[in-house]
Amino acid sequence: MRCAIARFLSAPHAFRTMTAAFAAAMAVFFLMPALAGDASIEKERSDLTPEDAARVKAITAPASDFSKPEKFEMMQGGAGTSKKRVNRDAFSQSSANITFEEEGTFKLGNALFRKLWVSSPSSTQASDGLGPLFNARACQSCHLKDGRGRPPEDNPDATSMFLRLARQAETEEEKKLVAEHAVLNFPDPVYGSQLQDLAVPGLAGEGRMKIAYEEMPVTLGDGTTVSLRKPTYSIENLGYGPLNPGTTLSPRVTPQMIGLGLVEQIHPADILANADPDDADGDGITGKASIVRDPKSGELTLGRFGWKAQTPSIREQTADAFAGDIGISTPDVPKSWGDCTQAQTACLERPTGVQGRLGDTEAPDPVLDLVTFYSQHLAVPARRDVGKPDVLRGKQIFYQAGCASCHTPKFVTRRDAPNKAQAFQLIWPYSDFLLHDMGEGLADGQQVGEATGREWRTPPLWGIGLTEKVSGHTFFLHDGRARNLTEAILWHGGEAQAARDRFANLSATDREALVKFLESL
């Protein structure tokens, strides 16, 4: 299959007058003037020959024939797509096209991803350093089976969901720091950037997330009534005094892990080509790129990971999670006390797990390298039922309703990707990886860099139909408020309001077909 895809992409093509790279460059020139002076972000695809660019443009064009599946549509993760049996481990398979040696690296990374950390001091010196304040003892605890997190519901365990804490810039100096991409926002002065409900023995946790739901009936076009639940968030049993009055609470469930390495290899020009911050084409969709500063190089780059697209790379996402979720320092984020603030003196007095003979952080290299590799090579499962009539009908409705305006179906990854297993792959993530205003109903009121309190990154849809199989639930959106896909669609507002309304006015048969299509992803 990999060879077949490569042949299709590399074959000569008649029309070369407007290559994908040129189109992307023009889109950036007209729609992204703020980036014009920044040479660090690639604005055209220098990795492609004109022949390659023409083929990429052709194969990533929107579908127009819904009578049959598109070429390679089942292989939504390219040649690395997993065809293994669909079960609870469907999101934990390695990319099918990595080498035998890389498979060994993947397994080492998996072991570290599952590793349970313990508090210091401990006889297991290679595993101590937990916390002192934390949300989980292992990466796997949050990303159970590498799948989607969930709200605690009636279960007090909130391991796979947490609250981000932040306030907006208040002074001119703070506003300048945000404008220059020096910071994303400002943490609570006492509780830091994330509420940590767990602590090592002898130390109090920061508090407990509390959720109250209000049921809101919604009547659809055919008279069907659907109840949406509107959440309200608060914190009980605050362990270190009150929050700052300006601190906002943003609930986040942990996202699924599949296909991250492929997303990382989408060329920036292809993402920027879909940006339209001023709605120049008048379609009501004003997606904008999340521009962040790379913490290592200091250059501006494209954010593409996280609910607000605030993180540019999987390695940074991994290092941030080690520090913020588990309280483990790495070479990239050497915070051995995790998210403890200067106001939390008892936390800062705790011993760390740094072992001089092993390195100057609690998880020295190659720990971060291995976990990053693991996260980059989790395979996307193959599509199911791609040729069924109701799925094809649902796909057509998906396009007609305007869902594909933000959930961009397909991309071709960089030809010059560092790992050839991820190079020049046709992938189907169903996301544009841009920020969109999703309306007041989904707003969290928290600014994160370029993202306002109403804006969210379009989440990829691949694998969404396996959520119940892998994670044991069907809770969706950034905080799991939606109990099924229908509710998730009906919560869409802002730029997605028109698409949401078209869905609400469909017949019951067509709504079911659209859901069937999503479940096939």
Side-chain angles (χ1 to χ4, degrees):
M1 179 59 73
R2 180 181 182 182
C3 293
I5 295 173
R7 284 197 299 270
F8 182 83
L9 289 168
S10 301
H13 196 271
F15 58 92
R16 299 175 187 170
T17 56
M18 184 70 170
T19 67
F22 182 73
M26 290 299 97
V28 172
F29 180 81
F30 288 111
L31 303 177
M32 298 292 291
L35 298 181
D38 177 45
S40 63
I41 300 178
E42 299 174 271
K43 304 174 188 67
E44 57 182 84
R45 291 200 65 165
S46 57
D47 62 314
L48 301 178
T49 64
E51 291 80 6
D52 284 344
R55 296 307 294 166
V56 168
K57 181 181 179 183
I59 201 170
T60 57
S64 57
D65 180 3
F66 300 99
S67 65
K68 60 184 178 180
E70 296 174 75
K71 275 190 174 181
F72 316 117
E73 190 170 5
M74 186 184 77
M75 301 291 285
Q76 57 182 347
T81 300
S82 171
K83 289 186 175 181
K84 293 190 176 181
R85 186 174 61 181
V86 173
N87 55 26
R88 284 207 69 198
D89 294 319
F91 288 176
S92 300
Q93 307 299 329
S94 60
S95 296
N97 59 343
I98 61 175
T99 66
F100 179 79
E101 291 76 12
E102 288 172 334
E103 183 68 30
T105 304
F106 178 87
K107 289 178 178 177
L108 286 172
N110 184 18
L112 290 168
F113 194 80
R114 296 168 178 266
K115 177 188 178 83
L116 292 172
W117 296 84
V118 298
S119 58
S120 302
S122 170
S123 58
T124 56
Q125 294 184 351
S127 298
D128 67 349
L130 177 68
L133 296 168
F134 60 98
N135 292 104
R137 292 181 57 199
C139 306
Q140 183 76 197
S141 300
C142 294
H143 300 277
L144 188 61
K145 293 290 183 179
D146 303 293
R148 190 185 307 267
R150 58 170 295 168
E153 300 301 302
D154 296 328
N155 189 332
D157 181 10
T159 304
S160 64
M161 182 176 179
F162 55 85
L163 291 174
R164 289 281 192 200
L165 310 176
R167 63 173 177 83
Q168 295 189 26
E170 296 173 351
T171 67
E172 290 303 315
E173 182 179 359
E174 288 180 345
K175 292 175 182 177
K176 183 179 179 182
L177 289 173
V178 174
E180 294 177 347
H181 306 281
V183 298
L184 295 172
N185 50 30
F186 299 89
D188 185 87
V190 174
Y191 291 90
S193 60
Q194 188 167 310
L195 182 75
Q196 275 130 357
D197 54 351
L198 302 175
V200 299
L203 192 68
E206 292 183 322
R208 291 281 179 177
M209 172 174 56
K210 184 178 180 180
I211 313 174
Y213 290 109
E214 173 190 356
E215 293 290 340
M216 298 170 33
V218 175
T219 302
L220 306 185
D222 62 359
T224 302
T225 299
V226 176
S227 185
L228 305 182
R229 57 178 192 172
K230 178 182 178 182
T232 301
Y233 296 93
S234 59
I235 302 173
E236 56 185 3
N237 301 324
L238 281 167
Y240 299 86
L243 291 168
N244 182 283
T247 296
T248 55
L249 311 179
S250 181
R252 314 280 177 88
V253 297
T254 52
Q256 61 190 26
M257 299 283 291
I258 58 172
L260 297 181
L262 294 168
V263 172
E264 196 168 39
Q265 296 310 318
I266 297 173
H267 199 287
D270 286 349
I271 295 176
L272 295 175
N274 292 319
D276 186 11
D278 299 318
D279 194 19
D281 60 7
D283 67 351
I285 307 298
T286 58
K288 71 181 184 184
S290 173
I291 306 303
V292 298
R293 195 168 294 280
D294 185 282
K296 298 189 76 173
S297 69
E299 295 182 341
L300 293 182
T301 188
L302 185 66
R304 60 182 79 191
F305 299 105
W307 284 105
K308 299 257 187 178
Q310 71 271 20
T311 309
S313 71
I314 300 169
R315 183 180 175 91
E316 183 180 341
Q317 184 94 341
T318 303
D320 287 345
F322 263 122
D325 299 344
I326 311 177
I328 295 294
S329 56
T330 62
D332 287 27
V333 183
K335 297 169 65 176
S336 295
W337 287 273
D339 195 37
C340 294
T341 67
Q342 293 299 315
Q344 295 169 322
T345 55
C347 180
L348 296 176
E349 291 170 356
R350 296 280 163 166
T352 72
V354 176
Q355 308 294 331
R357 61 187 176 83
L358 299 176
D360 56 4
T361 57
E362 293 162 323
D365 286 330
V367 173
L368 184 59
D369 294 332
L370 290 168
V371 176
T372 299
F373 186 90
Y374 172 75
S375 302
Q376 288 172 327
H377 293 88
L378 283 161
V380 181
R383 282 273 309 274
R384 301 153 311 286
D385 303 327
V386 292
K388 282 193 171 182
D390 55 349
V391 171
L392 290 170
R393 173 61 180 155
K395 177 183 174 182
Q396 183 176 19
I397 295 168
F398 182 87
Y399 272 81
Q400 291 173 342
C403 304
S405 297
C406 299
H407 291 282
T408 304
K410 44 193 168 171
F411 292 89
V412 173
T413 60
R414 305 179 67 116
R415 188 179 270 286
D416 57 357
N419 189 328
K420 65 180 182 180
Q422 296 171 338
F424 212 48
Q425 296 295 308
L426 173 63
I427 63 173
W428 306 70
Y430 283 90
S431 171
D432 60 8
F433 304 99
L434 298 172
L435 297 170
H436 294 275
D437 182 339
M438 294 301 293
E440 193 59 34
L442 290 177
D444 66 348
Q446 189 171 107
Q447 178 185 9
V448 182
E450 297 273 357
T452 69
R454 289 168 56 107
E455 291 178 325
W456 300 93
R457 181 199 71 156
T458 307
L461 296 180
W462 53 11
I464 197 168
L466 294 176
T467 300
E468 185 170 17
K469 177 72 72 175
V470 172
S471 303
H473 66 82
T474 57
F475 296 110
F476 299 106
L477 301 177
H478 67 279
D479 57 359
R481 70 177 67 187
R483 291 163 289 198
N484 51 57
L485 291 169
T486 295
E487 289 185 25
I489 297 170
L490 292 174
W491 268 110
H492 283 51
E495 296 173 46
Q497 185 70 45
R500 176 261 180 217
D501 291 347
R502 293 185 193 105
F503 172 78
N505 288 315
L506 292 172
S507 67
T509 301
D510 282 349
R511 289 198 307 272
E512 184 179 350
L514 177 53
V515 170
K516 285 289 186 184
F517 165 69
L518 295 175
E519 289 175 343
S520 77
L521 297 178

